[in-house]
Amino acid sequence: MDDALFQSVYETILQRDTRYDGRYYIGITSTGIFCRPSCRSRIPKPENVKIYGSIEEALQAGFRACKRCRPEQPGEHGPDAQIAHAVNELIKRRYSEPLTLGDIGAELKMSPYHLQRVFKRVTGTTPSKQLLQIRMDEAKRLLAASEQPITDIAAEVGFRSPSHFTSVFHKTVGCTPMEYRETAGAR
């Protein structure tokens, strides 16, 4: 591989760019491990990097898969995207429960701190903001589609107190649940 091409590939490693995951793999001669270009492990020295076009090539060269970025597992963006997806699915299923970051971490068998960091890096938001967004979307849907009492809707979307629900709804949506129901009915 010529120096200019190697340097451009090495730049993607330095930037931990996920766009190149699955297109090539990097073998680190000092450790005997191969990784995705976006791996969050310590960045290897350029002289210790070998580039491979496939997992099979890296394995044949004697490298073993990284336990952090798991290049052998399917999925374009590796385990971080899988974690974010699992968090989203859990929130969608259990949004009506009093769900905390600790609960989500325990369910997914990982520390809440790591979960928060990974989720925010992948999605650009936090699990608690995502939970609130899902709750508000469901509340708006219920307010527009039914005559169900607001206290029941508050409980159904995970709020223990109707006054807290009204306060959060107003802060998030810009109007009270009753005002939203009136304007949604006029549509």
Side-chain angles (χ1 to χ4, degrees), residues 7 14 31-33 55 67 71 74 87 93 106 109 134 143 148 156 166 170 178:
Q7 195 55 41
L14 292 173
T31 61
I33 294 171
I55 292 171
K67 290 183 179 177
V87 170
R93 266 194 341 269
K109 297 177 178 41
I134 288 171
L143 286 165
Q148 192 175 1
E156 194 171 323
T166 300
H170 189 272
M178 186 61 78

Side-chain angles (χ1 to χ4, degrees), residues 117-126 129:
R117 236 186 22 221
V118 168
F119 190 83
K120 183 156 186 168
R121 184 173 56 238
V122 172
T123 65
T125 190
T126 64
K129 286 181 182 175

Side-chain angles (χ1 to χ4, degrees), residues 11 41 64 91 98 110 118 129 141 144 148 159 163 165 183:
E11 284 297 316
S41 295
R64 69 175 177 79
I91 289 171
M110 64 178 43
V118 168
K129 286 181 182 175
R141 187 188 70 73
Q148 192 175 1
F159 287 86
S163 61
F165 168 70
T183 60

Side-chain angles (χ1 to χ4, degrees), residues 17-25 36-39 75-78:
D17 195 339
T18 59
R19 292 179 297 175
Y20 297 96
D21 285 358
R23 292 187 186 180
Y24 63 86
Y25 300 87
R36 297 170 187 264
S38 65
C39 186
E76 187 178 324
H77 300 295

